[in-house]
């Protein structure tokens, strides 16, 4: 099989990720196809974190000593890099969080708590990750608003007709939608959906966890009100994420967590809040994580998000083609043209957990389960799927190894 | 290193000009620097042409924040509120005449922030900050 045309030096990229040259088992190389769960980290990111701890570890925004100055500058530089990466209007719109989940919870507990009540509707979708369902359910139980779900069509895309109909009900206050499904891989038409939401007088929150690592995202062009994502899925560290919010909303929102750094003055009878973005960053932040994420963004930008996206589309199209040739395998989600770098499937006669275990013995890391999308699996009528997900460093040879692994699993189960 | 504490700064910090609040005052506003707890309470009197005739202030904080308040107070007496509007961050830095590290900028700008928010409201200050921000 001749390799497909690559848009960048794939071997050089692979060499930047130390873990990819580790052995998975004693003599089996690692084939990492669980990128939708978490991505690997390039040396540049690992070293940035190491350098912070080794040479200028200190708290930010507090000290006047040199280390604190240096840490503050690195932390704030990271915020600026991320602002540029998503084309936000101001660094004040970039809030550091622990990840996508925390970003969504922040919006629910601040904007949601003030703006949602009895008679209001939050529109979500059947393909959401639990992190974009449960925070709204928790708040709905307290505030008495209703959550409605946009259904999915047979091909794994959202029913846009149903969406338009649901919006006609004037009580929709907020639309919350995943940009790219972590199971189906569906790339939702969020720009169009946001426009429709705004026309209906609703705001829109987009879960960008599975989009921003893989494609260029421009929050201004999308005109999105809130956009949440995680660092660790975009070659950055765990424990750091971003909530982007339009300044006008963030200014009007009350703080969520109280503590240090988020106050202007504290008196025993009450306090006033610090300016954006610090109002939402109580406590000592994830300094090393933020700095690491800044370097991750540098790496992705230097390589080019367009090129990364093109590479992944090539790999995904190839994987879908090869997978569809395997007897007994059923793929979920739309075809390659409308899909992110995800292939979720079921395999006749082998439970996903068993399949993942057998693949692992061959060095192939995939995910098995409901992928934190139980309502979607209920809709599909299956308890679990096996998911292979790709990223900038994956190769067509790795896809071939996955296919071989599947045939080996068939043999093991004597199918 | 001790550039930061050159004579002018120490003089203004130790012998602040226009110290003491005016009562009554035409403009009266207090602000804080959340990071180090600097506090500045500024009062102004203006004539019928909105020209600042008297400045009085009270506060506590580091030498930089106090010297900045003292210097700015001297600077605005005799200017109209309209003229004061155009004073920007750079002018404060120039007035102080010292290199400021990132964490000290807030100390230096507390006086300007209190003046602008007190005279024109918070929205005006935020707009100015937004205009000046390169990011």
């Amino acid at each position: 099989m001749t390799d497909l045309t690559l848009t960048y030096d794939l071997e050089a990229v692979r060499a930047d990720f130390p873990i990819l040259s580790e052995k998975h088992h004693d003599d089996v190389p690692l084939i990492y196809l669980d990128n939708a769960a978490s991505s690997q980290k390039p040396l540049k990111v690992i070293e940035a974190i190491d350098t912070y701890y080794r040479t200028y570890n200190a708290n930010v925004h507090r000290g006047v000593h040199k280390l604190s100055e240096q840490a503050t500058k690195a932390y704030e530089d990271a915020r600026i890099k991320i602002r540029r990466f998503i084309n936000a209007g101001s660094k004040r719109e970039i809030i550091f969080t622990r990840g996508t989940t925390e970003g969504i919870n922040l919006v629910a507990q601040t904007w949601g708590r003030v703006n949602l009540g009895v008679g209001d509707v939050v529109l979500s979708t059947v393909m959401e990750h639990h992190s974009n369902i449960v925070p709204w359910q928790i708040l709905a139980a307290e505030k008495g608003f209703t959550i409605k779900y946009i259904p999915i069509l047979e091909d794994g895309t959202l029913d846009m007709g149903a969406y338009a109909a649901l919006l006609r009900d004037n009580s929709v206050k907020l639309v919350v939608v995943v940009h790219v499904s972590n199971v189906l891989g569906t790339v939702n038409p969020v720009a169009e959906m946001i426009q429709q939401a705004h026309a209906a007088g609703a705001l829109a929150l987009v879960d960008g966890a599975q989009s921003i690592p893989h494609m260029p995202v421009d929050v201004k062009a999308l005109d999105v009100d809130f956009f949440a994502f995680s660092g660790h899925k975009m070659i950055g560290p765990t424990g750091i994420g971003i909530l982007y919010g339009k300044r006008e909303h963030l200014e009007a929102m009350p703080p969520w967590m109280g503590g240090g750094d988020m106050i202007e003055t504290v008196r025993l009878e009450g306090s006033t809040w610090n300016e954006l973005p610090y109002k939402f960053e109580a406590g000592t932040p994830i300094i090393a994580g933020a700095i690491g994420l800044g370097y991750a963004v540098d790496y992705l930008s230097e390589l080019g998000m367009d090129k990364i996206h093109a590479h992944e589309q090539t790999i995904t199209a190839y994987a879908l083609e090869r997978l569809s040739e395997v007897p007994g395998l059923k793929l979920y989600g739309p075809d390659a043209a409308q899909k992110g770098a995800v292939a979720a499937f079921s395999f006749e006669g082998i439970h996903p957990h068993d399949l993942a275990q057998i693949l692992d013995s061959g060095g192939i890391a995939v995910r098995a389960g409901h992928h934190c999308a139980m309502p979607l699996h209920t809709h599909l009528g299956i308890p679990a799927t096996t998911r292979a997900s790709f990223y900038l460093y994956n190769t067509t040879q790795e896809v071939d190894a996955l296919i071989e692994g599947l045939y080996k699993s068939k043999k093991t189960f004597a199918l | 290193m001790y550039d930061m504490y050159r004579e002018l700064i120490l003089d203004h910090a130790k012998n602040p000009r226009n110290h003491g609040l005016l009562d009554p005052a035409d403009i009266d506003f207090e602000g804080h620097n959340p990071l180090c707890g600097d506090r500045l309470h500024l009062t102004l009197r203006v004539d019928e042409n909105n020209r600042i005739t008297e400045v009085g202030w009270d506060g506590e904080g580091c030498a930089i924040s106090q010297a900045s308040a003292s210097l700015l107070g001297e600077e605005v007496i005799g200017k109209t509120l309209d003229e004061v509007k155009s004073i920007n961050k750079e002018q404060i830095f120039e007035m102080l005449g010292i290199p400021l590290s990132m964490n000290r900028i807030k100390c230096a700008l507390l006086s300007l922030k209190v003046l602008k928010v007190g005279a024109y409201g918070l929205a005006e200050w935020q707009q100015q900050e937004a205009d000046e921000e390169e990011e």
Side-chain angles (χ1 to χ4, degrees), chain A residues 101-117:
Chain A
T101 299
E102 187 173 290
I104 296 170
N105 275 275
L106 192 160
V107 177
Q109 291 299 323
T110 57
W111 185 89
R113 194 164 275 284
V114 173
N115 292 289
L116 298 172

Side-chain angles (χ1 to χ4, degrees), chain B residues 19-37:
Chain B
H19 198 261
L21 295 175
L22 303 171
D23 184 16
D26 297 308
I27 290 168
D28 182 331
F29 189 72
E30 181 173 307
H32 302 255
N33 173 0
L35 301 175
C36 18

Side-chain angles (χ1 to χ4, degrees), chain A residues 61 63-64 68-69 72 80 83-84 90 92 263-265 267 275, chain B residues 30 32-35 101-104 106 113 126 129-130 133 135:
Chain A
H61 303 144
V64 296
S68 177
E69 285 286 346
T72 302
I80 291 167
R83 183 206 71 74
R84 285 188 195 132
S90 162
R92 293 180 187 278
I263 48 91
E264 183 182 51
T265 58
R267 296 183 205 292
E275 58 195 15
Chain B
E30 181 173 307
H32 302 255
N33 173 0
L35 301 175
S101 58
M102 202 168 171
N103 285 342
R104 300 308 295 273
K106 294 248 174 205
K113 179 178 177 179
Q126 285 175 341
E129 282 217 306
E133 260 168 37
E135 290 290 349

